[in-house]
Amino acid sequence: MVATADSSAPDRPPSISDTADGADLARFGYQPVLHRKLGRYASFAAGFSFVSILTTIFQFFGFGFSFGGAAFFWTWPVVFAGQFLVALNFAELAARYPISGCIYQWSRRLAGELVGWFAGWMMIIAQIVTAAAAAIALQVVLPTIWSGFQLIGSNSDLTSRSGATNAVLLGSILLVVTTVINVIGIDWMARINSLGVTIEIIGVCAVIAVFFTHADRGPGVVLHTAGAAPGPYWAAFLVSGLMAAYVMVGFDSAGELSEETRNPRQVAPRTILTALTVSGLGGGLILLGALMAAPSLTDGSLSSGGLAYVIEAKLDSPAGKVVLACVACAITVCTLAIQTAGSRLMFSMARDRRLPFAKQLAAVHPRFGTPVWPAVTIGALGIALLVLNLGNAAIFATLASVCIVMLYVAYLLVTVPLLLRRIKGWPADAANTETGAPLFALGRYGIPVNALAVVWGIAMAINLAWPRAAVYTPTGGGWWMLWAAPLFVLATVLVGVVVHRMVTPGRTLAAEPAIQPA
């Protein structure tokens, strides 16, 4: 039996209980206390803004090029293919379990309370780190638009001490803003996020158009390995894949917001796949266009300046600043989407009394219809993480590597149990919604697609966590920085063991039937 929402949560709006979606949620044992206001585009926007190709490619284009040269482009289709395998499995689960906190909910229904709890715990920590990593991306853009945004020192480069410190300040301010937006209601969050995504899509199209109409070389540039890091190219190629791996995560956000989405059984699976596909296509064109349009591939400017360098070289100052302003909007809604998804996951676990201070974290504001304390908690912890890294010149690479390793591990705690259930016959039938429409299903391709997704996830987690001095200690540092990713995962697990023992009651939540009657 699924634990019900905390009895202290405010009464839900009377109209929600009368809807088919509210009745559908009640079958899982939960009261529909969140406001169901998201349509198809808002659901898509949640996943797309989490991936946020403008944000993440601006962050890591220079990193990828500096290791793999122009041929690092091929990491993009490789990572997209692997993540699409994961997304296909998530789409199938989203259709059957339209519940907030999807990674936790999916995992515990497939493998039981213990595995589900650790999947949720790892995902919460990953989202806190990811929110912090996304927020500091403002440093890549704002000082370029106007030097006045460089409030500390004069060197805006993130690899410099003053640049990294200023990034912490700007990121902290952004997290305060996104926390306020998350508190005042899902409708405001959806409006701002959808507007931001629309601006980002326009910005993506504009950047692609500029690059392809101002190209200095042909598409054959993606076959060049000149300028790659010393040593065998395959090793440099694996490191450069960090950029694509960091970009293509978070597409499951549509599932995190299922209880606030209308007709989530049909909408969430489609928007999960659409968000990743649109991101994959748009990001690939940006990478190709930038490599074709860059004034030089050999003078070091592309490695240090990234996309900003290409845009400034190809556009006059006002037009270039408009494009960079679109990037700043993308960073804002990316941080907002990550924090929203994390707060819904925290709310979902607290509702099952699976976190400390569960009563407070499960409470929903009677007017705003939002879980206020989870949003505040994620914002505060994200700022604390930034302050902890104050002055760390490798903050970008360190936070990004740690958060994607955590995300990949959390995803594995869903795909591995799902594969085991598939081998035993999951799903037993093609469940239908109340309207009679069939749910998204992989059918006979389920086991091979799932198995490949598991292999992919394990391989990438190992690759991303591998202690490489060029990634974690580019300017020198202690051994603990070099082993930051595996140490952080280990610390998260150890702390998780303590927390789990604190919050686990005598009666545990058992794994549930794989198919929820519709």
Side-chain angles (χ1 to χ4, degrees):
M1 180 65 180
V2 182
T4 58
D6 195 307
S7 59
S8 66
D11 292 336
R12 62 188 185 279
S15 60
I16 293 183
S17 62
D18 299 329
T19 66
D21 291 333
D24 192 19
L25 179 63
R27 290 189 177 91
F28 292 96
Y30 294 118
Q31 293 181 351
V33 295
L34 302 176
H35 293 179
R36 198 176 290 275
K37 296 185 176 183
L38 302 184
R40 188 180 303 276
Y41 186 75
S43 178
F44 159 78
F48 183 83
S49 58
F50 196 126
V51 178
S52 191
I53 51 179
L54 275 186
T55 300
T56 46
I57 293 178
F58 257 79
Q59 283 177 298
F60 279 98
F61 181 91
F63 176 93
F65 181 82
S66 66
F67 278 95
F72 95 101
F73 167 84
W74 295 106
T75 63
W76 188 264
V78 170
V79 172
F80 171 77
Q83 291 299 78
F84 195 76
L85 294 172
V86 177
L88 286 169
N89 288 281
F90 283 4
E92 196 167 18
L93 289 168
R96 285 158 177 79
Y97 304 117
I99 314 173
S100 292
C102 59
I103 297 297
Y104 157 71
Q105 295 285 357
W106 297 342
S107 182
R108 83 169 181 82
R109 282 171 166 75
L110 294 168
E113 188 275 335
L114 181 63
V115 176
W117 190 90
F118 272 96
W121 173 253
M122 300 285 280
M123 193 66 180
I124 286 177
I125 303 301
Q127 287 170 331
I128 293 170
V129 180
T130 307
I136 57 176
L138 282 179
Q139 180 65 23
V140 183
V141 180
L142 291 186
T144 304
I145 296 175
W146 179 48
S147 60
F149 285 115
Q150 185 63 36
L151 303 172
I152 299 173
S154 58
N155 190 346
S156 64
D157 192 337
L158 262 172
T159 58
S160 70
R161 187 175 184 84
S162 63
T165 303
N166 198 68
V168 169
L169 177 59
L170 294 178
S172 299
I173 294 171
L174 177 56
L175 283 168
V176 171
V177 172
T178 57
T179 298
V180 172
I181 296 172
N182 262 304
V183 166
I184 62 176
I186 188 64
D187 48 351
W188 276 103
M189 178 271 168
R191 290 188 192 117
I192 294 171
N193 194 53
S194 296
L195 176 62
V197 165
T198 302
I199 293 173
E200 179 173 5
I201 291 173
I202 293 172
V204 167
C205 293
V207 168
I208 292 171
V210 168
F211 287 168
F212 276 86
T213 56
H214 294 75
D216 289 345
R217 59 192 65 83
V221 65
V222 298
L223 301 176
H224 298 173
T225 60
Y233 186 74
W234 63 266
F237 187 80
L238 288 177
V239 179
S240 68
L242 172 66
M243 188 216 72
Y246 178 61
V247 176
M248 285 183 271
V249 293
F251 43 82
D252 54 291
S253 292
E256 296 284 7
L257 300 177
S258 288
E259 292 182 34
E260 293 154 284
T261 303
R262 295 187 289 271
N263 191 20
R265 287 185 184 266
Q266 295 295 321
V267 170
R270 294 176 183 176
T271 52
I272 286 173
L273 297 176
T274 303
L276 181 59
T277 301
V278 173
S279 299
L281 177 61
L285 290 174
I286 287 177
L287 292 178
L288 177 59
L291 292 169
M292 292 169 59
S296 174
L297 300 178
T298 58
D299 66 357
S301 298
L302 196 55
S303 296
S304 60
L307 289 189
Y309 156 69
V310 185
I311 289 175
E312 290 174 339
K314 296 300 178 180
L315 290 175
D316 57 27
S317 182
K321 291 186 186 304
V322 169
V323 173
L324 291 176
C326 291
V327 178
C329 289
I331 294 168
T332 300
V333 295
C334 175
T335 307
L336 176 63
I338 295 168
Q339 189 176 15
T340 303
S343 66
R344 291 342 182 240
L345 174 56
M346 190 175 286
F347 160 78
S348 185
M349 294 183 69
R351 180 173 54 181
D352 285 348
R353 297 177 176 86
R354 287 300 186 264
L355 289 176
F357 308 104
K359 182 177 180 180
Q360 292 78 13
L361 293 173
V364 176
H365 194 280
R367 177 184 175 187
F368 301 138
T370 55
V372 172
W373 283 112
V376 172
T377 300
I378 290 176
L381 291 176
I383 292 172
L385 187 60
L386 290 180
V387 173
L388 183 66
N389 282 273
L390 196 64
N392 175 16
I395 182 174
F396 236 19
T398 301
L399 287 181
S401 301
V402 165
C403 75
I404 36 183
V405 171
M406 295 286 290
L407 285 165
Y408 273 76
V409 172
Y411 286 176
L412 282 169
L413 291 177
V414 174
T415 55
V416 172
L418 178 58
L419 178 60
L420 297 177
R421 291 294 293 267
R422 286 190 193 279
I423 293 172
K424 297 177 181 179
W426 189 98
D429 54 62
N432 293 332
T433 64
E434 292 187 352
T435 63
L439 299 179
F440 179 86
L442 295 176
R444 66 177 182 272
Y445 300 106
I447 290 180
V449 168
N450 201 159
L452 289 172
V454 169
V455 172
W456 162 257
I458 293 172
M460 282 303 294
I462 293 173
N463 177 42
L464 295 169
W466 202 262
R468 299 178 174 99
V471 175
Y472 292 104
T473 55
T475 59
W479 65 270
W480 62 272
M481 291 178 62
L482 184 62
W483 291 84
L487 285 175
F488 194 88
V489 172
L490 178 61
T492 300
V493 172
L494 293 177
V495 174
V497 169
V498 175
V499 175
H500 182 262
R501 294 189 65 178
M502 291 171 53
V503 301
T504 302
R507 179 178 61 84
T508 60
L509 301 175
E512 298 193 2
I515 294 295
Q516 180 70 22

